[in-house]
Amino acid sequence: MSLAETWDRFAKERTPRRAVNARGQSTWLNWTQYPDHGPDEGVLGTPLAGLKVLELGSGNGDNLAHLATLGATCTGVDVAPSREAAARERWGHLPGLDFRTTEAVDYLATEAATFDVVLSIFGAVWFVDPDMLLPLVRARMNEGGTLAFSHLPAGSQELKPGKAGMRHDRTPEEWTKLLHRHGFTGVRTEIIEPPTGQSAATMLIRATV
Ligand SMILES: C[S@@+](CC[C@H](N)C(=O)[O-])C[C@H]1O[C@@H](n2cnc3c(N)ncnc32)[C@H](O)[C@@H]1O
């Protein structure tokens, strides 16, 4: 089965995001797998209006749609064709938002566009060898830009999303070394504890260039 087919199959099991969150908002950014939990786009530390944002593994586009409503110009890439279709159906009416069906390495290696913010929320940064991906991300980032990504902490027993072998689990210390090696600075790592009654924490990593 190809990578696209594998992720299309995964997409079929996903429940679409709710129409509104607990605050009554129709768009929001969620770094964790739990609804109404964890920090929002504020951790990016910069007003988003006017910035160019790329999300690697953008899924149904829900997080990126929120940044588009804040005035960012957003591109989401995802290897699964059904994800682009779903994202366009739900968010295609928003200006400044584009979705592409492409593998993250292929996109970064072939597109000339550069970005102020690169995001990956349980996305491609977790599923591609970081020694291959990070130099390509770095080359597509504008000076002063931010890379931010989240995924399960290394060693988490939860197998989803993705089979265990597909994930590139790294500890915060390993991510810090990797990011420094590939030209990123200001690395910050944090563990977001799960909500009461849930077991899986989330690791959030931020770095600047
Ligand atoms: C667990 S889902 C998360 C989706 C979305 N970021 C979210 O938070 O709902 C992982 C996504 O990354 C995509 N993906 C995985 N590996 C990828 C790669 N190498 N290039 C592009 N997309 C990839 C999958 O198709 C899937 O949509």
Side-chain angles (χ1 to χ4, degrees):
M1 195 185 294
S2 71
L3 191 65
E5 288 167 338
T6 300
W7 281 108
D8 257 345
R9 179 177 283 196
F10 175 80
K12 284 201 184 96
E13 298 165 14
R14 300 290 93 191
T15 309
R17 188 182 270 195
R18 301 159 298 162
V20 291
N21 67 7
R23 289 185 184 170
Q25 300 162 319
S26 57
T27 65
W28 64 93
L29 188 139
N30 193 4
W31 298 99
T32 81
Q33 62 184 299
Y34 302 111
D36 308 312
H37 176 68
D40 60 15
E41 70 281 358
V43 299
L44 295 171
T46 179
L48 275 299
L51 297 190
K52 287 179 66 186
V53 177
L54 172 68
E55 183 172 3
L56 299 172
S58 47
N60 291 359
D62 301 321
N63 290 310
L64 212 49
H66 180 60
L67 302 190
T69 67
L70 299 178
T73 300
C74 302
T75 302
V77 305
D78 200 293
V79 72
S82 65
R83 294 296 208 167
E84 179 181 340
R88 286 190 187 281
E89 187 177 333
R90 184 152 182 185
W91 302 116
H93 61 286
L94 292 179
L97 186 54
D98 188 28
F99 295 103
R100 309 264 191 98
T101 299
T102 176
E103 197 280 321
V105 169
D106 288 346
Y107 177 83
L108 292 163
T110 55
E111 286 289 327
T114 60
F115 299 91
D116 304 301
V117 174
V118 178
L119 304 176
S120 190
I121 299 177
F122 286 69
V125 170
W126 198 22
F127 298 111
V128 178
D129 180 348
D131 278 316
M132 182 189 299
L133 190 71
L134 291 178
L136 294 170
V137 172
R138 176 68 186 84
R140 293 278 155 258
M141 289 187 66
N142 297 328
E143 290 309 312
T146 299
L147 166 66
F149 57 97
S150 61
H151 56 66
L152 293 175
S156 168
Q157 296 305 303
E158 288 213 356
L159 284 183
K160 286 187 176 182
K163 292 179 218 136
M166 292 171 67
R167 293 176 2 198
H168 288 269
D169 282 347
R170 297 290 187 277
T171 64
E173 296 72 27
E174 288 167 340
W175 274 123
T176 302
K177 276 190 198 156
L178 273 161
L179 287 158
H180 284 158
R181 186 156 81 232
H182 292 297
F184 293 84
T185 57
V187 180
R188 281 177 289 176
T189 65
E190 67 182 279
I191 299 292
I192 304 164
E193 294 302 332
T196 308
Q198 299 290 345
S199 58
T202 304
M203 185 152 60
L204 173 63
I205 315 277
R206 285 168 283 169
T208 51
V209 297

